[in-house]
Amino acid sequence: MAELTPLDEKLAEVLGLAQAAADVTGKVAKLAEDDETRSLLERMGEEAKETAQRAEQVADGREGRKTAIHDKARETKQELSEMAKTYLEGSDTDALDGFEFLVMAEAGEAGHVEVLEKINEHERDAQVDDLIRFAKPIQERHVAQVRETTLALAAKEAEES
């Protein structure tokens, strides 16, 4: 397998996390009790899919390393999927549990995009730069929306107890 550069490795992680996010948002949407929350999660899932598609295009252009990048992305996706399974499965799992997991996952995604951006300041890869310009504002919005929704769900749960 080809040796991945730091840029390739971070690209793979961004790809894998975006792929996993598309799945996880669907799982959390099943726990949501209202249409507005489900709609938010569906939009987030679609944006994650778009980010993954764009990251795949960048990876596919990295001659000699694309297979290794996709392998690393699969590994990253699997790791997050296993964490989600542990966190989201159980008969008492509710929407708040799902959003608490998303707080961690979305922050991780945003952080990986920022690290990719920092590494690319040195590498100056135009395709990676385009990916970052697309993904960074989405991730920043996802972090804010997930945090806001989590806190609203927590307040609602506190009122009901």
Side-chain angles (χ1 to χ4, degrees), residues 93-108:
T93 303
D94 62 11
L96 180 56
D97 295 321
F99 271 88
E100 287 173 340
F101 178 78
L102 286 176
V103 165
M104 295 181 293
E106 292 296 337

Side-chain angles (χ1 to χ4, degrees), residues 47-75:
E47 290 170 339
K49 287 177 188 174
E50 177 68 20
T51 299
Q53 289 171 348
R54 289 173 182 243
E56 283 178 22
Q57 290 173 347
V58 175
D60 289 345
R62 306 209 44 99
E63 286 303 317
R65 296 185 306 273
K66 71 180 182 179
T67 299
I69 292 169
H70 283 284
D71 288 346
K72 176 68 175 170
R74 268 190 296 285
E75 179 184 313

Side-chain angles (χ1 to χ4, degrees), residues 5 7 58 62 115-133:
T5 67
L7 184 76
V58 175
R62 306 209 44 99
V115 170
L116 181 64
E117 179 181 42
K118 183 55 73 178
I119 292 170
N120 198 48
E121 286 176 5
H122 174 72
E123 298 295 324
R124 299 177 190 223
D125 183 298
Q127 286 186 311
V128 171
D129 195 46
D130 287 345
L131 174 63
I132 292 163
R133 275 197 306 275

Side-chain angles (χ1 to χ4, degrees), residues 81-94:
S81 296
E82 287 174 18
M83 287 174 55
K85 183 177 180 182
T86 300
Y87 208 91
L88 299 175
E89 287 190 2
S91 59
D92 63 342
T93 303
D94 62 11

Side-chain angles (χ1 to χ4, degrees), residues 29-42:
K30 292 177 183 172
L31 301 171
E33 296 177 2
D34 64 273
D35 290 339
E36 184 178 338
T37 303
R38 278 190 293 276
S39 179
L40 168 65
L41 291 163
E42 288 169 8

